[in-house]
Amino acid sequence: MNNPVWIDDKGKIIEPEYCRDFLSRHPMRCINDRFYTVDGPLPDESKLKRTIYEEISPWLHAKVAQTVEQVIKALKLAAYADPLPLQYDRIHVANGTCFLDGTFTEKKEYCGNRLLVSYRADAPEPEHWLRFLLELLEPEDIPALQEYLGYCLIPSTKGQKMLMLIGKGGEGKSRIGVVMNAIFGLNMNTTSIQKVENSRFARADLEGKLLMLDDDLDMNALTKTNYVKSIVTAQGKMDLERKGKQSYQGWMFARLMAFSNGDLQALYDRSDGFYRRQLVLTTKEKPVDRADDPDLAEKMKAEAEGIFLWAFEGLQRLVANNFKFTE
């Protein structure tokens, strides 16, 4: 077999040659020490390492794993790129780019957030989803939820609100989180507001995310509120810290959404600044004779493309109203 151009006469990898060849076949950029493709950031490097291993292992006889790690470092240097700009006028979907003016192109560009859902202008109306919302909320509250879920589609905190969905339990609030996960995928984190406020490492996990969901809010009052308030209103970089690493400045635009059986309370903060940051919706009481459909979440996930159009309509209305929610 003829040696590849990136193997020298001594059977060693010529790293610059390999990187050029690899990136020509697998276009990527390295931003802030993380690889990005047109489909967004790589969730982890394991699959990438496996691909490299399969390519170089036929030509090496020793220290293959060590060489893979070295090649990864070289790839990061070869693929280095400046940070991506935050784009507020478009949504990166699975099959292209959707602009806020309603236009769509199948062209994909490098982005920090690409949704799992595809844009289909002719997607059918999400009947199960709309029926579920009519059973869950008062009709006048549904536009606020529509606007908030649309608000989470772009990396902006101009709305200056977190969403609190409050009920007595059993109404089916958590199904909203299941549907959102089908749309947002890796662009959404599920954790707790208490953890985000109290753990200095938890906040870094929200860097670059569009949505943070607290599926079952801890009813204990927050002893501190400064971090939650900062995340809700952040319009610049925040100080973030990861275990074993020096703190750094990172972009934070994750919107907070929580499901609860009661209000989010602060132990010491009685300021208007804490409570006015909350957009509170109260669910209807569950009818005693209602028979729950165990497959409802799956049925609504199947309507993801229609739900996306519904949320996109809410985003367009919110932007037209200068990011003032319908309350």
Side-chain angles (χ1 to χ4, degrees):
M1 296 176 63
N2 294 325
N3 287 356
V5 295
W6 38 265
I7 289 288
D8 65 16
D9 295 337
K10 297 179 181 179
K12 293 184 178 180
I13 288 183
I14 307 172
E15 291 179 3
E17 287 290 347
Y18 180 81
C19 290
R20 278 191 286 270
D21 179 57
F22 188 89
L23 292 174
S24 69
R25 293 179 286 112
H26 308 281
M28 289 188 299
R29 294 181 183 178
C30 181
I31 301 168
N32 293 330
D33 203 42
R34 188 174 184 183
F35 287 111
Y36 285 74
T37 69
V38 291
D39 290 322
L42 292 183
D44 61 62
E45 296 176 2
S46 300
K47 188 175 181 180
L48 176 61
K49 291 179 180 178
R50 175 64 182 178
T51 301
I52 296 171
Y53 173 84
E54 290 176 343
E55 289 189 359
I56 69 174
S57 58
W59 311 99
L60 301 181
H61 304 293
K63 299 183 178 179
V64 181
Q66 181 180 333
T67 305
V68 170
E69 295 293 340
Q70 193 63 32
V71 168
I72 288 288
K73 292 179 181 179
L75 273 176
K76 287 184 175 181
L77 295 174
Y80 171 82
D82 292 328
L84 295 167
L86 296 180
Q87 298 170 310
Y88 309 112
D89 65 336
R90 68 197 67 183
I91 303 167
H92 300 282
V93 290
N95 60 336
T97 307
C98 179
F99 293 87
L100 262 63
D101 62 5
T103 58
F104 173 76
T105 175
E106 293 184 354
K107 180 181 178 181
K108 289 185 178 182
E109 56 188 5
Y110 283 91
C111 63
N113 307 97
R114 187 171 298 282
L115 305 181
L116 292 180
V117 68
S118 295
Y119 174 82
R120 277 183 52 207
D122 60 347
E125 188 175 75
E127 296 179 0
H128 291 98
W129 171 256
L130 296 177
R131 189 182 310 116
F132 164 73
L133 293 182
L134 283 173
E135 294 177 355
L136 183 70
L137 297 170
E138 297 294 342
E140 60 267 26
D141 285 337
I142 293 177
L145 178 66
Q146 182 184 20
E147 291 165 0
Y148 196 87
L149 297 184
Y151 172 49
C152 296
L153 297 174
I154 58 173
S156 171
T157 57
K158 290 183 179 180
Q160 305 280 286
K161 295 282 189 181
M162 62 178 292
L163 178 68
M164 297 294 302
L165 197 59
I166 299 175
K168 294 182 178 179
E171 303 93 345
K173 302 184 295 294
S174 60
R175 287 168 173 164
I176 295 177
V178 175
V179 175
M180 291 302 99
N181 190 56
I183 293 175
F184 287 89
L186 295 174
N187 299 294
M188 165 184 163
N189 268 16
T190 301
T191 184
S192 72
I193 289 177
Q194 291 276 1
K195 183 178 180 181
V196 169
E197 181 61 52
N198 297 316
S199 170
R200 68 181 192 271
F201 301 125
R203 294 181 284 276
D205 292 335
L206 299 180
E207 182 184 10
K209 303 294 183 182
L210 293 172
L211 174 62
M212 190 226 85
L213 175 67
D214 189 339
D215 191 68
D216 189 8
L217 182 70
D218 187 338
M219 296 306 298
N220 291 319
L222 292 171
T223 55
K224 300 182 298 178
T225 61
N226 54 311
Y227 286 113
V228 168
K229 290 191 294 187
S230 296
I231 291 171
V232 171
T233 58
Q235 294 193 351
K237 292 186 175 181
M238 289 182 61
D239 187 66
L240 303 174
E241 185 176 355
R242 297 184 184 276
K243 288 184 179 180
K245 295 185 179 181
Q246 178 67 33
S247 62
Y248 63 97
Q249 297 291 303
W251 287 106
M252 184 71 72
F253 44 78
R255 269 52 53 88
L256 308 185
M257 183 165 62
F259 306 147
S260 173
N261 295 333
D263 297 332
L264 178 63
Q265 298 289 340
L267 195 58
Y268 304 111
D269 189 347
R270 295 291 183 264
S271 67
D272 178 60
F274 176 61
Y275 292 99
R276 69 177 166 79
R277 284 174 168 83
Q278 299 180 38
L279 174 62
V280 181
L281 302 180
T282 304
T283 66
K284 295 178 180 178
E285 289 193 21
K286 177 183 176 181
V288 293
D289 58 345
R290 189 181 79 186
D292 292 331
D293 181 0
D295 298 321
L296 180 58
E298 295 300 321
K299 292 175 181 177
M300 292 192 295
K301 284 168 61 177
E303 298 177 329
E305 293 173 344
I307 295 172
F308 170 79
L309 292 181
W310 176 85
F312 181 58
E313 179 186 331
L315 172 62
Q316 290 177 311
R317 185 170 65 244
L318 180 67
V319 172
N321 291 334
N322 200 26
F323 286 88
K324 300 296 182 183
F325 291 94
T326 302
E327 297 186 58

